[in-house]
Amino acid sequence: MSLKRRTILQMIPATAALSVVSGQSMAASHHVVVVGGGFAGATVAKYLRMWSNGGIDVTLVDKNSRHVSCIMSNLVLNGQLQLGDLSFDYSTLQDKYGVRIVQGGVRRIAAGMVELESGDLHECDYVVVATGISFDDIPGLDSRKIPHAWIAGEQTNLLRDQIREDMPRDNGTFVMTIPRAPYRCPPGPYERACLLADILRRRGDGHRVVVLDANDRIQAERTTFERAFYGLYRDIIDYRASVSVASVNSDERIVTTVAGENVHGDVVNVIPRHGAPGLLVESGLTGGGRWAPVNPTTYESSLIPGVYVVGDSQATAQPKSGHMANSQAKVCADAIIRAAAGLSTQNRERLANITTNSACFSPITATEASWLTAVFRLNTETRAMELVPESLGEAHDWNSENYSAMFDWSENLFADTFR
Amino acid sequence: MTQSKRRLSGIAILLSLPFAASPALAEDETVNRLLASQCAQCHGTNGYARGDFEDIAGEEAGDLFEDLSDMKGEDRPENIMDHQALGYSDEQIRRIARYYASLPEDDPERQAGSEREGEVEIERAGEHEYEREYEREYEREDEHEDEREREEHDDDERDEDDD
């Protein structure tokens, strides 16, 4: 590359920043409202601004002033991290990329319109919905007493504190339940079971971690987790497949299974089944299903044109995770920029190159981790995202090298999303 | 705004992108940009990585292509990148390599001397301290386990059919 070209390239961000600051970007009439500032929403907002050189106005609405990452949050349970390490405000999105940040709940979504709970109306050309998951009700379940800790934040600290305070020194029982797939972060619950076993075997003797899995088998990294459950932690982890929760006694900490068995724990962690949040259901984005159907070449809703759904709420069969949400968000941002430019999102060259990928690390002990990875590509005939089979892989072993790489991975993913 | 005006301003957005304007390129550089952005989750936005993961911005296209092709060709894929590389066609790898080769090797933001805002690096000092503490515990644990194993036999072997 010539020096001259480098110089020109280096000037581009400065020019873009200027046009944002001066508010004189060339196509300011294109306005996108992004609802939800997690991995999907923050990435869409950032990449829309970055790739349009500030040419598209972006407003990010979230009910909270910061996002707390679920990724790495199992390490809050064993005290290695604190929530502050995993909390990201939107100041960089605002200051560096020129995203307008609005804090508030959203009451209603329609094509070209987002209505806040405050009554404020935000009109726009495109709406992006990235509000993650909500949980099914389970009779008797009170998550203030029996935490799910599957949306990170206070729930994570509640579970951490219960583990610290309510598990006895010896012979304690920790019960956790895994919902029917698809749920957020396929390896996550198994990783949590391993970390709990690790915490408890250090605390004393005779502890048990009872894992009630609504699925008929381990959902991710099966080789790794089977080795951990039936090897390293064989004396602690009691894994039971195909066991669903019927009800919970939140005061007595008892889970009653569909088969009628009562399972009592000193600490109980119930993760209910997931679905798209009520906002999407009420706005007509789920069409009676559990998730919002979208076109995976754009993430535009199959039901409401002009509204896009990215991340865990959407119905493509890709795994639900923060890494995947970031990955999909870029496809969505590219599609919206093209749509704003009046250009096709469906030309052959673009479709042939739509990919997403997943990579994640799972701590198996407090010093060792495994990993899982996969690439997905568009099947141009069925128009569905499909796994590239040979790309699917999991670590041959859990070790400290992977554990260290886990921090590099999360650091880069967090930065690519929020910074 | 009329449709044609909108279209024009939209085209201006695309033309303002770094590479779309280059007349020498037959392929759509925004397609390459989208494809290449899928590396950023681990290798940083525009390939400027943090921590110990490799920076890929400004790498020679030939080198990147060769590296990824080698990973793809591993008889027994061993690490994440061996598997990731298998997810892309040679043509896609060439596009990704071309895209990163077109970026400056050093992050313009870092060069400008602007401090990166809001570093997201998680405390590693604490992590290592914790590691050492755990290693000590592991050693004690191992000694303890050896004793127990001598005393006990495999009578507590888990029954794998209990589900």
Side-chain angles (χ1 to χ4, degrees):
Chain A
M1 186 189 289
S2 73
L3 256 185
K4 194 176 168 195
R5 180 148 164 86
R6 274 194 186 196
T7 313
I8 292 167
L9 286 171
Q10 283 161 13
M11 283 166 58
I12 288 165
T15 320
L18 267 181
S19 74
V20 172
V21 171
S22 66
Q24 290 174 352
S25 39
M26 64 202 99
S29 58
H30 293 285
H31 184 205
V32 180
V33 176
V34 180
V35 181
F39 283 89
T43 306
V44 168
K46 168 177 166 172
Y47 274 79
L48 275 171
R49 292 292 297 169
M50 190 172 76
W51 280 349
S52 73
N53 271 344
I56 291 178
D57 275 356
V58 178
T59 302
L60 176 68
V61 184
D62 196 286
K63 62 178 187 287
N64 300 312
S65 62
R66 56 186 56 225
H67 181 74
V68 184
S69 166
C70 282
I71 291 174
M72 303 289 272
S73 69
N74 275 337
L75 292 183
V76 173
L77 302 181
N78 70 4
Q80 285 184 301
L81 295 179
Q82 297 190 335
L83 283 187
D85 299 323
L86 303 175
S87 299
F88 303 99
D89 68 20
Y90 304 116
S91 58
T92 308
L93 292 184
Q94 181 176 273
D95 300 340
K96 183 169 161 188
Y97 298 101
V99 176
R100 191 181 303 122
I101 306 296
V102 173
Q103 192 180 342
V106 171
R107 182 188 292 159
R108 197 162 59 93
I109 289 163
M113 194 275 303
V114 171
E115 184 185 350
L116 302 195
E117 281 166 0
S118 64
D120 286 354
L121 269 184
H122 287 265
E123 293 187 349
C124 55
D125 300 286
Y126 308 94
V127 179
V128 179
V129 188
T131 50
I133 55 164
S134 67
F135 298 114
D136 282 11
D137 287 332
I138 294 177
L141 176 64
D142 180 349
S143 290
R144 292 166 303 180
K145 294 174 179 167
I146 304 288
H148 52 74
W150 215 244
I151 294 173
E154 282 311 305
Q155 280 280 310
T156 317
N157 280 347
L158 177 60
L159 183 58
R160 177 200 62 190
D161 293 346
Q162 287 187 357
I163 294 163
R164 280 182 184 168
E165 290 157 21
D166 299 346
M167 290 298 296
R169 188 178 156 73
D170 297 306
N171 302 314
T173 302
F174 179 89
V175 177
M176 65 177 290
T177 74
I178 302 174
R180 191 188 303 177
Y183 58 82
R184 162 180 285 183
C185 188
Y190 310 102
E191 164 191 314
R192 180 174 285 177
C194 288
L195 284 181
L196 255 299
D198 187 64
I199 292 168
L200 296 175
R201 72 175 182 170
R202 284 159 210 296
R203 176 169 311 197
D205 294 322
H207 288 292
R208 283 197 316 148
V209 173
V210 179
V211 182
L212 307 179
D213 192 343
N215 303 288
D216 65 0
R217 71 192 78 175
I218 292 170
Q219 295 296 296
E221 291 182 63
R222 197 173 307 143
T223 312
T224 296
F225 289 118
E226 281 182 349
R227 278 184 51 221
F229 288 7
Y230 302 122
L232 180 65
Y233 296 127
R234 67 184 180 279
D235 296 334
I236 304 172
I237 292 180
D238 175 4
Y239 174 74
R240 306 182 197 172
S242 303
V243 178
S244 296
V245 180
S247 65
V248 175
N249 183 327
S250 296
D251 290 316
E252 301 296 327
R253 298 189 178 172
I254 295 169
V255 172
T256 302
T257 68
V258 167
E261 189 189 355
N262 288 329
V263 185
H264 172 265
D266 296 292
V267 175
V268 175
N269 171 210
V270 172
I271 305 169
R273 196 172 172 198
H274 307 0
L279 177 67
L280 282 84
V281 177
E282 288 147 24
S283 300
L285 287 164
T286 54
R290 190 166 276 273
W291 308 102
V294 296
N295 175 346
T297 67
T298 58
Y299 292 89
E300 187 171 20
S301 164
S302 312
L303 301 169
I304 307 180
V307 177
Y308 295 68
V309 183
V310 273
D312 291 351
S313 304
Q314 50 75 33
T316 66
Q318 300 168 91
K320 299 187 185 300
S321 75
H323 189 110
M324 284 297 301
N326 169 298
S327 183
Q328 295 157 8
K330 293 162 181 167
V331 177
C332 177
D334 177 76
I336 290 175
I337 290 170
R338 283 174 178 273
L343 298 174
S344 170
T345 56
Q346 303 299 306
N347 69 72
R348 184 188 297 223
E349 185 180 3
R350 182 174 185 272
L351 296 186
N353 290 291
I354 289 183
T355 67
T356 56
N357 66 69
S358 169
C360 69
F361 290 81
S362 295
I364 303 296
T365 72
T367 56
E368 297 162 309
S370 63
W371 52 258
L372 171 68
T373 193
V375 177
F376 298 82
R377 68 183 163 209
L378 184 75
N379 180 324
T380 50
E381 280 169 27
T382 62
R383 296 290 168 103
M385 293 300 288
E386 62 184 22
L387 173 72
V388 182
E390 54 274 30
S391 73
L392 177 66
E394 65 178 278
H396 294 172
D397 200 5
W398 56 80
N399 58 41
S400 57
E401 213 174 293
N402 294 336
Y403 186 87
S404 178
M406 174 173 72
F407 286 86
D408 290 314
W409 160 69
S410 59
E411 186 184 339
N412 280 291
L413 176 57
F414 294 158
D416 189 44
T417 304
F418 298 105
R419 303 301 184 201
Chain B
M1 185 189 277
T2 65
Q3 195 57 42
S4 64
K5 261 193 188 165
R6 179 168 290 221
R7 187 171 291 261
L8 271 179
S9 67
I11 288 167
I13 294 174
L14 276 179
L15 289 182
S16 72
L17 300 171
F19 312 106
S22 172
L25 304 173
E27 65 193 27
D28 183 342
E29 291 292 331
T30 66
V31 167
N32 296 2
R33 181 180 66 181
L34 174 58
L35 194 53
S37 74
Q38 299 297 347
C39 307
Q41 290 95 307
C42 294
H43 292 280
T45 303
N46 294 323
Y48 302 111
R50 298 172 182 233
D52 290 338
F53 282 2
E54 199 182 338
D55 268 325
I56 49 178
E59 289 281 311
E60 290 289 336
D63 292 348
L64 271 175
F65 183 84
E66 201 175 314
D67 285 353
L68 285 160
S69 301
D70 286 350
M71 292 168 189
K72 215 176 144 174
E74 290 287 342
D75 289 340
R76 186 169 178 259
E78 279 196 352
N79 58 45
I80 288 187
M81 276 312 301
D82 294 343
H83 286 280
Q84 279 286 314
L86 285 165
Y88 301 93
S89 67
D90 290 346
E91 165 66 8
Q92 287 173 327
I93 288 175
R94 193 189 58 73
R95 284 174 178 267
I96 291 169
R98 269 180 64 107
Y99 181 76
Y100 282 112
S102 73
L103 298 178
E105 193 175 338
D106 298 315
D107 186 350
E109 278 172 44
R110 268 185 245 178
Q111 265 198 340
S114 66
E115 278 290 309
R116 284 189 179 229
E117 290 167 53
E119 280 290 337
V120 292
E121 183 160 3
I122 290 167
E123 276 293 330
R124 288 185 187 233
E127 168 201 329
H128 290 313
E129 199 174 297
Y130 191 84
E131 228 169 88
R132 281 194 296 275
E133 187 188 310
Y134 261 61
E135 273 164 16
R136 284 194 294 274
E137 274 192 42
Y138 265 128
E139 282 161 20
R140 285 199 294 274
E141 188 83 2
D142 286 347
E143 286 163 20
H144 188 56
E145 226 167 69
D146 289 346
E147 277 169 34
R148 264 201 307 225
E149 269 174 25
R150 276 194 295 274
E151 287 163 14
E152 295 171 19
H153 293 292
D154 284 340
D155 51 0
D156 59 348
E157 196 74 55
R158 96 181 334 276
D159 174 11
E160 292 195 15
D161 299 324
D162 64 356
D163 56 2

